[in-house]
Amino acid sequence: MNALRRVWEHFEEGFIAFLLATMTLITFVYVILNNFYTLFYWLGDHFGGNETLLGIGDAILDMAQAMTWSNALTKALFGWLIFFGLAYGVRTAGHIGVDALVKLAPRHIQRVIGVIACSACLGYAGLIAVGSFDWVHTLFTAGIGAEDLGHYGVQQWHIGMIVPFGYAMVFVRFLEILVRILRNEQTGLGLADEAADALKINEHEEPKQ
């Protein structure tokens, strides 16, 4: 049970790390292949037209030209990264909050405002999740292949399904916040406070001076 809880609490960053690693690996391989074949062409010419070295250069060039899917896949993964980042920002209080006036109110009023704000966020996330699910269902019915990935069996709905899934995760994370507010474990959405962060940084820097 504790293991499942740890997985759930770190689900977004785990998947974000996987997406970043995959994007980096694909881009790295593509760049290497697009520049490495020239080395073997140069070596082949340098050693009097060595057929083996030139053949290796041709093979690497063919692999580079075959990776037409790399840009499309990287863009798709980046899209997935954005929507996982939405839920991650909610869970880790990464989104910026504008609540200077709210903090001037008494604690019980802050709690009421927090419930209202969280309810609005839940409504927005739920609306987008349902609407985007209908959009993905339309793509599924159409069966349109994804750009430069269709011949590998990847369809547009495969990529687009991150939108309803991402907003469903946002909905769940805001629901967790609402439960904590109702339990009196926090008063607001717990969003980032840039002013407080700046003061903390300044406090740490002053002793050094």
mmCIF file of all heavy atoms in Angstrom, residues 37-79:
data_model
loop_
_atom_site.group_PDB
_atom_site.id
_atom_site.type_symbol
_atom_site.label_atom_id
_atom_site.label_comp_id
_atom_site.label_asym_id
_atom_site.label_seq_id
_atom_site.Cartn_x
_atom_site.Cartn_y
_atom_site.Cartn_z
ATOM 1 N N TYR A 37 28.031 10.646 -40.514
ATOM 2 C CA TYR A 37 28.345 10.005 -41.788
ATOM 3 C C TYR A 37 29.425 10.768 -42.559
ATOM 4 O O TYR A 37 30.184 10.179 -43.332
ATOM 5 C CB TYR A 37 27.083 9.849 -42.651
ATOM 6 C CG TYR A 37 26.501 11.143 -43.150
ATOM 7 C CD1 TYR A 37 26.917 11.698 -44.356
ATOM 8 C CD2 TYR A 37 25.512 11.796 -42.425
ATOM 9 C CE1 TYR A 37 26.368 12.875 -44.828
ATOM 10 C CE2 TYR A 37 24.963 12.977 -42.885
ATOM 11 C CZ TYR A 37 25.395 13.519 -44.081
ATOM 12 O OH TYR A 37 24.861 14.698 -44.544
ATOM 13 N N THR A 38 29.490 12.088 -42.327
ATOM 14 C CA THR A 38 30.515 12.878 -43.032
ATOM 15 C C THR A 38 31.921 12.456 -42.629
ATOM 16 O O THR A 38 32.862 12.550 -43.431
ATOM 17 C CB THR A 38 30.329 14.378 -42.741
ATOM 18 O OG1 THR A 38 30.381 14.601 -41.334
ATOM 19 C CG2 THR A 38 28.996 14.877 -43.266
ATOM 20 N N LEU A 39 32.088 11.982 -41.388
ATOM 21 C CA LEU A 39 33.396 11.521 -40.927
ATOM 22 C C LEU A 39 33.868 10.327 -41.758
ATOM 23 O O LEU A 39 35.028 10.273 -42.177
ATOM 24 C CB LEU A 39 33.324 11.153 -39.447
ATOM 25 C CG LEU A 39 34.578 10.473 -38.860
ATOM 26 C CD1 LEU A 39 35.778 11.421 -38.937
ATOM 27 C CD2 LEU A 39 34.318 10.036 -37.425
ATOM 28 N N PHE A 40 32.961 9.387 -42.012
ATOM 29 C CA PHE A 40 33.345 8.196 -42.774
ATOM 30 C C PHE A 40 33.562 8.524 -44.250
ATOM 31 O O PHE A 40 34.416 7.917 -44.902
ATOM 32 C CB PHE A 40 32.280 7.110 -42.605
ATOM 33 C CG PHE A 40 32.307 6.468 -41.257
ATOM 34 C CD1 PHE A 40 31.502 6.932 -40.225
ATOM 35 C CD2 PHE A 40 33.161 5.402 -41.000
ATOM 36 C CE1 PHE A 40 31.537 6.349 -38.975
ATOM 37 C CE2 PHE A 40 33.201 4.802 -39.741
ATOM 38 C CZ PHE A 40 32.393 5.276 -38.735
ATOM 39 N N TYR A 41 32.805 9.486 -44.770
ATOM 40 C CA TYR A 41 33.063 9.933 -46.141
ATOM 41 C C TYR A 41 34.457 10.568 -46.233
ATOM 42 O O TYR A 41 35.200 10.339 -47.193
ATOM 43 C CB TYR A 41 32.001 10.931 -46.585
ATOM 44 C CG TYR A 41 30.674 10.307 -46.951
ATOM 45 C CD1 TYR A 41 29.499 11.058 -46.943
ATOM 46 C CD2 TYR A 41 30.596 8.972 -47.335
ATOM 47 C CE1 TYR A 41 28.283 10.491 -47.289
ATOM 48 C CE2 TYR A 41 29.382 8.396 -47.679
ATOM 49 C CZ TYR A 41 28.237 9.165 -47.647
ATOM 50 O OH TYR A 41 27.043 8.599 -47.999
ATOM 51 N N TRP A 42 34.805 11.366 -45.233
ATOM 52 C CA TRP A 42 36.120 12.008 -45.227
ATOM 53 C C TRP A 42 37.228 10.970 -45.099
ATOM 54 O O TRP A 42 38.236 11.025 -45.812
ATOM 55 C CB TRP A 42 36.204 12.998 -44.073
ATOM 56 C CG TRP A 42 37.543 13.690 -43.991
ATOM 57 C CD1 TRP A 42 37.953 14.787 -44.682
ATOM 58 C CD2 TRP A 42 38.654 13.294 -43.172
ATOM 59 N NE1 TRP A 42 39.253 15.112 -44.361
ATOM 60 C CE2 TRP A 42 39.699 14.206 -43.423
ATOM 61 C CE3 TRP A 42 38.852 12.263 -42.246
ATOM 62 C CZ2 TRP A 42 40.930 14.125 -42.787
ATOM 63 C CZ3 TRP A 42 40.090 12.181 -41.617
ATOM 64 C CH2 TRP A 42 41.115 13.099 -41.883
ATOM 65 N N LEU A 43 37.018 9.998 -44.205
ATOM 66 C CA LEU A 43 38.020 8.940 -44.041
ATOM 67 C C LEU A 43 38.146 8.104 -45.303
ATOM 68 O O LEU A 43 39.251 7.717 -45.715
ATOM 69 C CB LEU A 43 37.649 8.046 -42.849
ATOM 70 C CG LEU A 43 37.806 8.665 -41.459
ATOM 71 C CD1 LEU A 43 37.235 7.731 -40.393
ATOM 72 C CD2 LEU A 43 39.261 8.978 -41.167
ATOM 73 N N GLY A 44 37.004 7.808 -45.929
ATOM 74 C CA GLY A 44 37.033 7.023 -47.162
ATOM 75 C C GLY A 44 37.796 7.727 -48.267
ATOM 76 O O GLY A 44 38.594 7.106 -48.984
ATOM 77 N N ASP A 45 37.567 9.034 -48.418
ATOM 78 C CA ASP A 45 38.296 9.805 -49.421
ATOM 79 C C ASP A 45 39.778 9.932 -49.052
ATOM 80 O O ASP A 45 40.652 9.894 -49.927
ATOM 81 C CB ASP A 45 37.679 11.202 -49.560
ATOM 82 C CG ASP A 45 36.277 11.154 -50.155
ATOM 83 O OD1 ASP A 45 35.979 10.163 -50.864
ATOM 84 O OD2 ASP A 45 35.502 12.096 -49.910
ATOM 85 N N HIS A 46 40.042 10.064 -47.754
ATOM 86 C CA HIS A 46 41.425 10.231 -47.301
ATOM 87 C C HIS A 46 42.261 8.979 -47.574
ATOM 88 O O HIS A 46 43.462 9.076 -47.861
ATOM 89 C CB HIS A 46 41.441 10.559 -45.805
ATOM 90 C CG HIS A 46 42.809 10.834 -45.259
ATOM 91 N ND1 HIS A 46 43.491 12.008 -45.534
ATOM 92 C CD2 HIS A 46 43.628 10.079 -44.466
ATOM 93 C CE1 HIS A 46 44.662 11.968 -44.921
ATOM 94 N NE2 HIS A 46 44.780 10.807 -44.262
ATOM 95 N N PHE A 47 41.637 7.815 -47.482
ATOM 96 C CA PHE A 47 42.354 6.561 -47.712
ATOM 97 C C PHE A 47 42.111 6.025 -49.126
ATOM 98 O O PHE A 47 41.985 4.818 -49.355
ATOM 99 C CB PHE A 47 41.946 5.506 -46.681
ATOM 100 C CG PHE A 47 42.455 5.792 -45.295
ATOM 101 C CD1 PHE A 47 41.602 6.304 -44.320
ATOM 102 C CD2 PHE A 47 43.784 5.587 -44.975
ATOM 103 C CE1 PHE A 47 42.070 6.580 -43.050
ATOM 104 C CE2 PHE A 47 44.254 5.859 -43.693
ATOM 105 C CZ PHE A 47 43.397 6.367 -42.723
ATOM 106 N N GLY A 48 42.034 6.942 -50.050
ATOM 107 C CA GLY A 48 41.977 6.552 -51.459
ATOM 108 C C GLY A 48 40.682 5.899 -51.889
ATOM 109 O O GLY A 48 40.695 4.907 -52.638
ATOM 110 N N GLY A 49 39.576 6.422 -51.413
ATOM 111 C CA GLY A 49 38.270 5.895 -51.813
ATOM 112 C C GLY A 49 37.985 4.520 -51.243
ATOM 113 O O GLY A 49 37.477 3.634 -51.945
ATOM 114 N N ASN A 50 38.293 4.319 -49.974
ATOM 115 C CA ASN A 50 38.057 3.033 -49.298
ATOM 116 C C ASN A 50 36.563 2.707 -49.303
ATOM 117 O O ASN A 50 35.750 3.430 -48.732
ATOM 118 C CB ASN A 50 38.584 3.109 -47.854
ATOM 119 C CG ASN A 50 38.519 1.767 -47.146
ATOM 120 O OD1 ASN A 50 37.449 1.295 -46.807
ATOM 121 N ND2 ASN A 50 39.696 1.173 -46.939
ATOM 122 N N GLU A 51 36.210 1.595 -49.946
ATOM 123 C CA GLU A 51 34.806 1.242 -50.123
ATOM 124 C C GLU A 51 34.129 0.897 -48.797
ATOM 125 O O GLU A 51 32.938 1.182 -48.612
ATOM 126 C CB GLU A 51 34.693 0.053 -51.084
ATOM 127 C CG GLU A 51 35.107 0.366 -52.513
ATOM 128 C CD GLU A 51 34.183 1.384 -53.159
ATOM 129 O OE1 GLU A 51 32.997 1.465 -52.750
ATOM 130 O OE2 GLU A 51 34.638 2.111 -54.059
ATOM 131 N N THR A 52 34.871 0.297 -47.877
ATOM 132 C CA THR A 52 34.285 -0.078 -46.587
ATOM 133 C C THR A 52 33.857 1.158 -45.804
ATOM 134 O O THR A 52 32.736 1.235 -45.285
ATOM 135 C CB THR A 52 35.278 -0.896 -45.757
ATOM 136 O OG1 THR A 52 35.653 -2.069 -46.478
ATOM 137 C CG2 THR A 52 34.660 -1.296 -44.425
ATOM 138 N N LEU A 53 34.760 2.141 -45.720
ATOM 139 C CA LEU A 53 34.447 3.369 -44.984
ATOM 140 C C LEU A 53 33.325 4.149 -45.658
ATOM 141 O O LEU A 53 32.436 4.681 -44.990
ATOM 142 C CB LEU A 53 35.700 4.233 -44.872
ATOM 143 C CG LEU A 53 36.838 3.655 -44.008
ATOM 144 C CD1 LEU A 53 38.085 4.531 -44.104
ATOM 145 C CD2 LEU A 53 36.385 3.536 -42.553
ATOM 146 N N LEU A 54 33.371 4.199 -46.988
ATOM 147 C CA LEU A 54 32.299 4.897 -47.706
ATOM 148 C C LEU A 54 30.969 4.173 -47.533
ATOM 149 O O LEU A 54 29.907 4.811 -47.447
ATOM 150 C CB LEU A 54 32.660 5.013 -49.191
ATOM 151 C CG LEU A 54 33.850 5.918 -49.529
ATOM 152 C CD1 LEU A 54 34.174 5.839 -51.025
ATOM 153 C CD2 LEU A 54 33.559 7.364 -49.137
ATOM 154 N N GLY A 55 31.014 2.836 -47.483
ATOM 155 C CA GLY A 55 29.795 2.055 -47.269
ATOM 156 C C GLY A 55 29.193 2.313 -45.896
ATOM 157 O O GLY A 55 27.966 2.395 -45.744
ATOM 158 N N ILE A 56 30.065 2.442 -44.875
ATOM 159 C CA ILE A 56 29.578 2.769 -43.529
ATOM 160 C C ILE A 56 28.930 4.151 -43.529
ATOM 161 O O ILE A 56 27.875 4.365 -42.920
ATOM 162 C CB ILE A 56 30.739 2.713 -42.514
ATOM 163 C CG1 ILE A 56 31.270 1.283 -42.385
ATOM 164 C CG2 ILE A 56 30.292 3.242 -41.155
ATOM 165 C CD1 ILE A 56 32.504 1.161 -41.506
ATOM 166 N N GLY A 57 29.552 5.102 -44.248
ATOM 167 C CA GLY A 57 28.974 6.437 -44.360
ATOM 168 C C GLY A 57 27.606 6.400 -45.018
ATOM 169 O O GLY A 57 26.674 7.086 -44.573
ATOM 170 N N ASP A 58 27.479 5.583 -46.089
ATOM 171 C CA ASP A 58 26.181 5.445 -46.758
ATOM 172 C C ASP A 58 25.130 4.850 -45.822
ATOM 173 O O ASP A 58 23.969 5.285 -45.818
ATOM 174 C CB ASP A 58 26.332 4.550 -48.001
ATOM 175 C CG ASP A 58 27.096 5.243 -49.118
ATOM 176 O OD1 ASP A 58 27.136 6.493 -49.131
ATOM 177 O OD2 ASP A 58 27.654 4.529 -49.986
ATOM 178 N N ALA A 59 25.529 3.853 -45.022
ATOM 179 C CA ALA A 59 24.591 3.206 -44.099
ATOM 180 C C ALA A 59 24.106 4.184 -43.041
ATOM 181 O O ALA A 59 22.909 4.224 -42.709
ATOM 182 C CB ALA A 59 25.255 1.996 -43.448
ATOM 183 N N ILE A 60 25.028 4.980 -42.506
ATOM 184 C CA ILE A 60 24.645 5.967 -41.490
ATOM 185 C C ILE A 60 23.735 7.033 -42.090
ATOM 186 O O ILE A 60 22.753 7.457 -41.471
ATOM 187 C CB ILE A 60 25.899 6.612 -40.874
ATOM 188 C CG1 ILE A 60 26.713 5.559 -40.107
ATOM 189 C CG2 ILE A 60 25.519 7.757 -39.934
ATOM 190 C CD1 ILE A 60 28.023 6.071 -39.569
ATOM 191 N N LEU A 61 24.033 7.448 -43.310
ATOM 192 C CA LEU A 61 23.191 8.440 -43.982
ATOM 193 C C LEU A 61 21.792 7.893 -44.217
ATOM 194 O O LEU A 61 20.795 8.609 -44.035
ATOM 195 C CB LEU A 61 23.827 8.842 -45.316
ATOM 196 C CG LEU A 61 23.044 9.856 -46.159
ATOM 197 C CD1 LEU A 61 22.841 11.156 -45.387
ATOM 198 C CD2 LEU A 61 23.762 10.126 -47.479
ATOM 199 N N ASP A 62 21.695 6.621 -44.600
ATOM 200 C CA ASP A 62 20.387 5.993 -44.805
ATOM 201 C C ASP A 62 19.588 5.969 -43.500
ATOM 202 O O ASP A 62 18.372 6.216 -43.505
ATOM 203 C CB ASP A 62 20.555 4.573 -45.345
ATOM 204 C CG ASP A 62 21.048 4.555 -46.790
ATOM 205 O OD1 ASP A 62 20.887 5.581 -47.481
ATOM 206 O OD2 ASP A 62 21.595 3.518 -47.214
ATOM 207 N N MET A 63 20.263 5.659 -42.390
ATOM 208 C CA MET A 63 19.579 5.643 -41.091
ATOM 209 C C MET A 63 19.086 7.040 -40.716
ATOM 210 O O MET A 63 17.981 7.196 -40.186
ATOM 211 C CB MET A 63 20.513 5.095 -40.016
ATOM 212 C CG MET A 63 20.725 3.585 -40.079
ATOM 213 S SD MET A 63 21.626 2.936 -38.637
ATOM 214 C CE MET A 63 23.273 3.576 -38.969
ATOM 215 N N ALA A 64 19.907 8.049 -41.002
ATOM 216 C CA ALA A 64 19.512 9.424 -40.690
ATOM 217 C C ALA A 64 18.293 9.843 -41.510
ATOM 218 O O ALA A 64 17.362 10.478 -41.000
ATOM 219 C CB ALA A 64 20.678 10.372 -40.948
ATOM 220 N N GLN A 65 18.313 9.477 -42.796
ATOM 221 C CA GLN A 65 17.183 9.827 -43.670
ATOM 222 C C GLN A 65 15.920 9.061 -43.304
ATOM 223 O O GLN A 65 14.806 9.528 -43.549
ATOM 224 C CB GLN A 65 17.567 9.581 -45.128
ATOM 225 C CG GLN A 65 18.628 10.537 -45.654
ATOM 226 C CD GLN A 65 19.053 10.222 -47.072
ATOM 227 O OE1 GLN A 65 18.906 9.087 -47.538
ATOM 228 N NE2 GLN A 65 19.603 11.208 -47.772
ATOM 229 N N ALA A 66 16.100 7.873 -42.707
ATOM 230 C CA ALA A 66 14.939 7.067 -42.311
ATOM 231 C C ALA A 66 14.276 7.601 -41.043
ATOM 232 O O ALA A 66 13.141 7.224 -40.729
ATOM 233 C CB ALA A 66 15.357 5.618 -42.103
ATOM 234 N N MET A 67 14.980 8.462 -40.315
ATOM 235 C CA MET A 67 14.424 8.991 -39.062
ATOM 236 C C MET A 67 13.577 10.237 -39.295
ATOM 237 O O MET A 67 13.649 11.219 -38.545
ATOM 238 C CB MET A 67 15.553 9.306 -38.072
ATOM 239 C CG MET A 67 16.188 8.081 -37.448
ATOM 240 S SD MET A 67 17.376 8.499 -36.125
ATOM 241 C CE MET A 67 16.288 9.170 -34.864
ATOM 242 N N THR A 68 12.750 10.206 -40.323
ATOM 243 C CA THR A 68 11.835 11.324 -40.567
ATOM 244 C C THR A 68 10.797 11.430 -39.459
ATOM 245 O O THR A 68 10.171 12.483 -39.284
ATOM 246 C CB THR A 68 11.121 11.146 -41.914
ATOM 247 O OG1 THR A 68 10.473 9.863 -41.942
ATOM 248 C CG2 THR A 68 12.124 11.216 -43.060
ATOM 249 N N TRP A 69 10.622 10.344 -38.714
ATOM 250 C CA TRP A 69 9.632 10.296 -37.638
ATOM 251 C C TRP A 69 10.116 10.994 -36.367
ATOM 252 O O TRP A 69 9.308 11.276 -35.476
ATOM 253 C CB TRP A 69 9.316 8.840 -37.286
ATOM 254 C CG TRP A 69 10.545 8.005 -37.060
ATOM 255 C CD1 TRP A 69 11.205 7.260 -37.979
ATOM 256 C CD2 TRP A 69 11.267 7.875 -35.830
ATOM 257 N NE1 TRP A 69 12.305 6.657 -37.406
ATOM 258 C CE2 TRP A 69 12.359 7.017 -36.091
ATOM 259 C CE3 TRP A 69 11.109 8.395 -34.548
ATOM 260 C CZ2 TRP A 69 13.280 6.675 -35.099
ATOM 261 C CZ3 TRP A 69 12.021 8.055 -33.569
ATOM 262 C CH2 TRP A 69 13.091 7.198 -33.851
ATOM 263 N N SER A 70 11.420 11.264 -36.276
ATOM 264 C CA SER A 70 11.977 11.741 -35.013
ATOM 265 C C SER A 70 11.409 13.099 -34.595
ATOM 266 O O SER A 70 11.078 13.304 -33.422
ATOM 267 C CB SER A 70 13.501 11.811 -35.100
ATOM 268 O OG SER A 70 13.911 12.722 -36.104
ATOM 269 N N ASN A 71 11.294 14.048 -35.535
ATOM 270 C CA ASN A 71 10.760 15.371 -35.196
ATOM 271 C C ASN A 71 9.309 15.289 -34.751
ATOM 272 O O ASN A 71 8.895 15.939 -33.775
ATOM 273 C CB ASN A 71 10.896 16.322 -36.384
ATOM 274 C CG ASN A 71 12.326 16.761 -36.630
ATOM 275 O OD1 ASN A 71 13.139 16.777 -35.710
ATOM 276 N ND2 ASN A 71 12.644 17.104 -37.861
ATOM 277 N N ALA A 72 8.521 14.481 -35.477
ATOM 278 C CA ALA A 72 7.105 14.340 -35.135
ATOM 279 C C ALA A 72 6.939 13.689 -33.767
ATOM 280 O O ALA A 72 6.100 14.111 -32.961
ATOM 281 C CB ALA A 72 6.386 13.517 -36.204
ATOM 282 N N LEU A 73 7.738 12.665 -33.491
ATOM 283 C CA LEU A 73 7.636 11.993 -32.195
ATOM 284 C C LEU A 73 8.093 12.911 -31.063
ATOM 285 O O LEU A 73 7.468 12.938 -29.994
ATOM 286 C CB LEU A 73 8.485 10.719 -32.206
ATOM 287 C CG LEU A 73 8.457 9.882 -30.922
ATOM 288 C CD1 LEU A 73 7.031 9.485 -30.574
ATOM 289 C CD2 LEU A 73 9.346 8.649 -31.053
ATOM 290 N N THR A 74 9.139 13.678 -31.298
ATOM 291 C CA THR A 74 9.614 14.606 -30.274
ATOM 292 C C THR A 74 8.558 15.662 -29.965
ATOM 293 O O THR A 74 8.341 16.019 -28.790
ATOM 294 C CB THR A 74 10.918 15.293 -30.726
ATOM 295 O OG1 THR A 74 11.909 14.296 -31.000
ATOM 296 C CG2 THR A 74 11.437 16.229 -29.654
ATOM 297 N N LYS A 75 7.888 16.175 -31.003
ATOM 298 C CA LYS A 75 6.821 17.162 -30.776
ATOM 299 C C LYS A 75 5.665 16.540 -30.005
ATOM 300 O O LYS A 75 5.083 17.190 -29.121
ATOM 301 C CB LYS A 75 6.326 17.718 -32.116
ATOM 302 C CG LYS A 75 7.303 18.662 -32.790
ATOM 303 C CD LYS A 75 6.674 19.377 -33.978
ATOM 304 C CE LYS A 75 6.389 18.419 -35.121
ATOM 305 N NZ LYS A 75 5.873 19.133 -36.320
ATOM 306 N N ALA A 76 5.323 15.290 -30.317
ATOM 307 C CA ALA A 76 4.241 14.611 -29.605
ATOM 308 C C ALA A 76 4.605 14.414 -28.133
ATOM 309 O O ALA A 76 3.784 14.663 -27.233
ATOM 310 C CB ALA A 76 3.947 13.270 -30.268
ATOM 311 N N LEU A 77 5.836 13.992 -27.881
ATOM 312 C CA LEU A 77 6.286 13.796 -26.504
ATOM 313 C C LEU A 77 6.323 15.118 -25.744
ATOM 314 O O LEU A 77 6.028 15.163 -24.540
ATOM 315 C CB LEU A 77 7.670 13.143 -26.491
ATOM 316 C CG LEU A 77 7.736 11.703 -27.024
ATOM 317 C CD1 LEU A 77 9.180 11.219 -27.034
ATOM 318 C CD2 LEU A 77 6.864 10.772 -26.197
ATOM 319 N N PHE A 78 6.677 16.196 -26.439
ATOM 320 C CA PHE A 78 6.694 17.508 -25.799
ATOM 321 C C PHE A 78 5.274 17.920 -25.396
ATOM 322 O O PHE A 78 5.067 18.508 -24.324
ATOM 323 C CB PHE A 78 7.296 18.549 -26.731
ATOM 324 C CG PHE A 78 7.463 19.904 -26.112
ATOM 325 C CD1 PHE A 78 8.450 20.128 -25.168
ATOM 326 C CD2 PHE A 78 6.626 20.953 -26.455
ATOM 327 C CE1 PHE A 78 8.602 21.374 -24.577
ATOM 328 C CE2 PHE A 78 6.773 22.195 -25.875
ATOM 329 C CZ PHE A 78 7.771 22.414 -24.930
ATOM 330 N N GLY A 79 4.301 17.608 -26.258
ATOM 331 C CA GLY A 79 2.909 17.875 -25.914
ATOM 332 C C GLY A 79 2.481 17.107 -24.677
ATOM 333 O O GLY A 79 1.814 17.646 -23.784
#
